[in-house]
Amino acid sequence: MHRRELKEAPALHVENVALIEDDLKELFAELRRVESADVPSDVPFTHLGGDSLTGVLFVRRVNQRYDTNIPPITLLQRDFTVSAFASYLIDNAVNAAPVISDWCAEVDAVWAEHCSFLLDREKDKSGELEQKTYQEGDTYFLTGVTGFLGKHVLMELLLADWLKDKKFLCLVRGKDEADGKARVRAALLEAMSPPHPASYVDDLLARVTVIVGDGEKKFFGLSEEGFATLCTEVIAVYHVASNTNTLLDYHALKPSNVLGAVEAMRVAHVAG
C-alpha cells in the first residue's frame, strides 16, 4: 500500500470533530496497511490490532501532525476509540504540555530554577542548608534500590570487601520505615544470585537504614532538618532511581529523572 498524501490537518476545534476522526482513521489505517473505511469510529484501537508498538508510532504521527504532546501510553491506558481520541485531542489542545523545540533553553531553565545552589560553595540558593566541611564518614546514600538496577547496585556494595565496615542509607517509597525495609529486603532476595537463605540477606540488612521519602520532591520530600540530618555522615551518593517507561514523554519523566537527579546532587553538595 502506498503512503497516502494527507491534506493539511484540521484545526483542533469541536466543530471539526468529524474531520479529525477521518484524519485519525487515515493515520491508523496506513500503519495497519488497511483502508480507512475499515477503521470504525466506535471500536478501541487495541481491538483493531493496535499493539504497543503501533500505538507509539500512531501517537508519534498524531503529535507531529497536530503539534501536540500526547504521551503514547495514553492511547493504551484509556483504550480509546477513534471517536473518543478525537474528542480527547480537542479537549486537551489548550492544556497540552508545550512541545520543547529548544533543549538548550530547557537545560538553562532547569539550571536557573533548581541548580543554582551548586554555584555557592557555602549554601544552596535559598540559604536553607549550609554545606558541611568534608569529614570521614561511614555511610553511603542510595536511591532506587528496589528497582531492577538499584537492587543489584546495593547488593554489590554490601558484598564488597572494601566496604564491609560501611553503612548504607537508602531512600525508598513506602508507608513507613518498616514497609520500606520490607521492600528493600524483597529486592535483595531477588538480586541474590545464586539464591541464599533469607537469614543471609537479613545479616546484610543490618547495615542498611531506610528513610521513607519521595524522589520527585525537593529535599526528597523530607523536612529541611531531616534532609540536613541525612547528609551528616554521607560520604558517597549512588543515585540509581529513575523512571524508565519509554512510553512517557519528557514532561512526565522530568520530576523523577531530572529533578530527582538535582536532589541527589544537593545531597552530595551539602554532604561536602
Side-chain angles (χ1 to χ4, degrees):
M1 179 178 294
H2 296 292
R3 189 178 181 89
R4 298 175 174 88
E5 291 295 329
L6 296 174
K7 301 178 181 178
E8 182 178 350
L12 291 175
H13 299 307
V14 65
E15 60 268 21
N16 291 336
V17 64
L19 295 175
I20 296 170
E21 286 185 21
D22 289 342
D23 194 56
L24 294 177
K25 290 180 182 180
E26 290 281 347
L27 292 174
F28 189 76
E30 183 177 343
L31 286 173
R32 294 295 301 154
R33 298 183 180 277
V34 298
E35 296 298 327
S36 60
D38 296 328
V39 180
S41 297
D42 56 352
V43 177
F45 286 104
T46 52
H47 296 182
L48 299 173
D51 55 19
S52 58
L53 177 58
T54 303
V56 169
L57 295 175
F58 174 67
V59 175
R60 181 182 298 170
R61 291 190 181 184
V62 170
N63 284 334
Q64 292 172 344
R65 184 156 169 74
Y66 287 92
D67 195 25
T68 53
N69 196 30
I70 305 297
I73 197 172
T74 302
L75 186 71
L76 302 177
Q77 283 183 331
R78 303 198 183 188
D79 210 17
F80 276 121
T81 62
V82 170
S83 179
F85 193 54
S87 297
Y88 176 83
L89 285 174
I90 295 170
D91 292 341
N92 285 271
V94 176
N95 299 318
V99 176
I100 296 176
S101 57
D102 187 345
W103 285 99
C104 290
E106 170 65 10
V107 171
D108 289 342
V110 170
W111 178 269
E113 183 176 357
H114 302 285
C115 303
S116 59
F117 66 87
L118 294 171
L119 300 177
D120 191 332
R121 295 298 298 171
E122 299 300 327
K123 298 179 179 180
D124 74 0
K125 67 174 183 178
S126 56
E128 297 133 328
L129 297 174
E130 293 187 0
Q131 181 188 39
K132 73 179 181 64
T133 303
Y134 179 78
Q135 61 186 21
E136 284 294 334
D138 65 351
T139 301
Y140 282 56
F141 175 68
L142 294 91
T143 67
V145 298
T146 59
F148 176 78
L149 176 61
K151 61 189 176 186
H152 294 285
V153 172
L154 177 58
M155 178 61 76
E156 290 298 317
L157 293 174
L158 286 168
L159 295 177
D161 289 338
W162 58 285
L163 294 175
K164 61 183 179 181
D165 296 326
K166 303 300 181 183
K167 299 176 184 177
F168 299 88
L169 179 61
C170 301
L171 181 83
V172 299
R173 294 180 183 270
K175 294 180 294 185
D176 50 36
E177 184 177 342
D179 180 53
K181 196 69 173 280
R183 293 186 64 211
V184 175
R185 183 177 186 270
L188 289 178
L189 285 170
E190 292 179 358
M192 182 64 72
S193 180
H196 284 61
S199 58
Y200 182 81
V201 171
D202 290 335
D203 289 340
L204 295 176
L205 274 173
R207 296 158 54 202
V208 175
T209 300
V210 165
I211 183 167
V212 176
D214 188 338
E216 298 183 2
K217 295 181 179 179
K218 187 175 182 180
F219 300 143
F220 286 132
L222 308 174
S223 65
E224 292 180 24
E225 181 181 0
F227 186 84
T229 301
L230 177 155
C231 300
T232 301
E233 296 183 356
V234 169
I235 60 172
V237 176
Y238 284 76
H239 178 57
V240 192
S242 66
N243 187 334
T244 58
N245 189 333
T246 57
L247 295 180
L248 297 179
D249 65 4
Y250 168 75
H251 297 283
L253 295 173
K254 180 178 178 179
S256 57
N257 294 1
V258 178
L259 302 185
V262 168
E263 294 312 305
M265 289 190 291
R266 195 190 302 274
V267 174
H269 174 74
V270 176

